[in-house]
Amino acid sequence: MFTIGDFARHGRVSVRMLRHYDATGLLRPAHVDPTTGYRYYTASQLARLNRVIALKDLGFTLQQVRDIVDEKVGAGELRGMLRLRRAELETAVAAAEARLVQVEARLRAIESEGHMPTDDVVIKSLPALRVAELTATAASLSPEGISPVIRPLYDELFPLLREAGVTPTGPGLAYYEDVPEGDGQITVHAAVQVSAPLQEAAFRVLDLPPLDQAATIVHRGSMEAVVPTVQTLARWIDAHGYRATAHPREINLECPKDRDQWVTELQGPVIRSA
């Protein structure tokens, strides 16, 4: 038998944790000396300890862990619990990775303050566009607010176009409008250029008006990392005597599967400052 200290070392856990598992009935010692109260464990109990730690690390509650290791949970139910937990962890990992991308974008914006090149900003006039679109509301204009909203819209839009026999005639584009009295909420328009008649169906077909002047810049990479490019455009507009009249449109020039290889033109409507 092992003393509690030896068993803790072999199991790579703390003595305090073993005492807690004993108190909760999750892992009782094989023997407790009636005189000294010392706890003793057997080598075979390492298997139960390993299962307890693994299940805890997966995020199960102590009661769930106890039911599983005591075989109160059937194999089918356990598989379901593990699949659900795996999905939860995958979602958490994806969210953490997205936050890291956004943090990196903010850091690049901070590091480039005052010396980011703006040579790539071009003033253009843009023609009217006929688009098919779906809309939804995002909590904010930040990348973490827009991305979870706009992706499902495009996933829904293109199958609807196929069902309606409408073929896109140009790239996808996104544009944004403030929700009146919406406390920062944004109406997200996920659109694609078409030549279909104006209509209201499962999607909307409308004409976007021409823009006499738009300050444009090309962003290369994921839209989660767009902040430095947006701020470059904003600095150029301010430095050259213009004023933005709306949020920039986003024209999808190249959209490979690897989002880091995307090429997107930002088109910010502007007028001359008074």
Side-chain angles (χ1 to χ4, degrees):
M1 285 192 174
F2 301 119
T3 66
I4 190 171
D6 287 338
F7 190 72
R9 283 191 291 274
H10 292 310
R12 296 296 192 271
V13 295
S14 68
V15 169
R16 181 180 179 182
M17 183 178 289
L18 290 176
R19 288 175 178 154
H20 178 62
Y21 289 166
D22 181 14
T24 58
L26 193 57
L27 180 59
R28 300 285 194 187
H31 173 71
V32 178
D33 188 296
T35 303
T36 63
Y38 290 167
R39 299 172 174 87
Y40 294 91
Y41 297 80
T42 64
S44 63
Q45 289 182 286
L46 287 170
R48 183 180 177 96
L49 176 63
N50 290 337
R51 285 164 174 74
V52 168
I53 298 300
L55 291 166
K56 272 188 75 261
D57 287 346
L58 281 171
F60 291 109
T61 67
L62 290 182
Q63 182 59 55
Q64 289 173 321
V65 172
R66 184 183 297 110
D67 290 344
I68 292 170
V69 296
D70 287 343
E71 297 183 350
K72 294 180 181 179
V73 174
E77 186 178 355
L78 177 57
R79 281 194 296 272
M81 293 170 68
L82 291 173
R83 289 194 187 102
L84 176 60
R85 186 55 186 155
R86 180 177 63 186
E88 292 172 345
L89 291 171
E90 288 172 346
T91 298
V93 168
E97 289 176 344
R99 283 196 297 273
L100 284 174
V101 170
Q102 293 152 19
V103 168
E104 287 291 337
R106 292 290 179 179
L107 287 174
R108 286 197 297 273
I110 291 169
E111 291 166 353
S112 62
E113 286 174 358
H115 55 78
M116 180 173 283
T118 58
D119 296 341
D120 292 335
V121 177
V122 176
I123 289 287
K124 298 179 182 178
S125 61
L126 301 174
L129 295 175
R130 179 161 294 185
V131 300
E133 70 173 29
L134 292 176
T135 64
T137 301
S140 72
L141 192 58
S142 65
E144 58 267 34
I146 296 297
S147 292
V149 174
I150 198 166
R151 291 178 187 174
L153 288 177
Y154 276 117
D155 289 342
E156 183 181 357
L157 177 61
F158 287 107
L160 289 174
L161 293 175
R162 286 194 295 271
E163 290 174 11
V166 176
T167 302
T169 57
L173 65 100
Y175 64 103
Y176 310 99
E177 296 174 313
D178 295 319
V179 175
E181 300 180 1
D183 193 26
Q185 290 184 316
I186 296 291
T187 299
V188 178
H189 298 257
V192 64
Q193 296 176 42
V194 296
S195 60
L198 299 177
Q199 60 177 296
E200 291 280 353
F203 51 88
R204 182 184 180 199
V205 177
L206 71 157
D207 288 330
L208 298 182
L211 297 177
D212 291 335
Q213 291 183 311
T216 66
I217 188 171
V218 173
H219 169 71
R220 300 180 186 277
S222 164
M223 294 306 292
E224 281 81 2
V226 75
V227 170
T229 309
V230 169
Q231 293 186 358
T232 294
L233 186 61
R235 291 192 187 98
W236 188 97
I237 291 171
D238 182 64
H240 289 77
Y242 289 94
R243 179 170 61 85
T245 60
H247 298 297
R249 295 178 185 174
E250 299 166 358
I251 308 297
N252 305 321
L253 302 180
E254 296 180 21
C255 297
K257 290 184 178 180
D258 183 355
R259 295 180 182 274
D260 290 335
Q261 302 301 315
W262 279 20
V263 180
T264 307
E265 184 175 75
L266 307 184
Q267 302 175 340
V270 294
I271 59 174
R272 277 289 181 184
S273 298

